[in-house]
Amino acid sequence: MSLCMIDGPMVRRFVENGEAFDAMVKERFGTLDTDGDGVLSFPELRKGFEGLKLVARDATAAELAAQYDALFQKFDTDHNGSVDMAEFRSEMREIMLALAQGIGESPVQIALGNDSLLMKIVDLDDSVLQTA
């Protein structure tokens, strides 16, 4: 864990940096695609969501199932029962931009896991600042 400063513009710069953002998407997608078939099934994406702890802890099993189903449907834009790389990238972009909006313009201090997505953003932003 590291204590870091992050703000919305930092997250937006990451998303707008096509190379870095695409590398993150490819890495996350590959991690979630446990069977290596090039698409994410509902169980694969759900396992990834569970690791992020995106849903309420006190939700019932039925509420959890409904929340995970809604998340999967959001990613599965062509409704074919799986999420391909393009769908995953598109939704991750929307999530990251919403995160940037939520954080706002003022920096916030946050504890981040060393391998977390936000930590990658902080590291990238630091490396860009050091080379500027």
Side-chain angles (χ1 to χ4, degrees), residues 1-77:
M1 291 289 246
S2 297
L3 200 55
C4 302
M5 298 295 287
I6 193 165
D7 60 21
M10 182 186 297
V11 176
R12 278 191 294 281
R13 283 191 301 272
F14 174 75
V15 172
E16 292 164 2
N17 179 332
E19 186 177 317
F21 182 72
D22 287 346
M24 177 278 300
V25 167
K26 185 176 181 180
E27 176 188 329
R28 295 289 170 174
F29 189 90
T31 300
L32 296 174
D33 184 17
T34 55
D35 64 9
D37 66 355
V39 295
L40 301 178
S41 64
F42 180 81
E44 288 172 325
L45 200 56
R46 180 177 175 154
K47 186 175 180 181
F49 290 145
E50 288 172 345
L52 296 174
K53 299 183 182 6
L54 296 173
V55 296
R57 293 181 191 188
D58 60 346
T60 66
E63 291 169 332
L64 282 173
Q67 289 176 11
Y68 286 126
D69 186 55
L71 283 169
F72 186 81
Q73 294 306 316
K74 182 81 171 140
F75 275 81
D76 183 18
T77 57

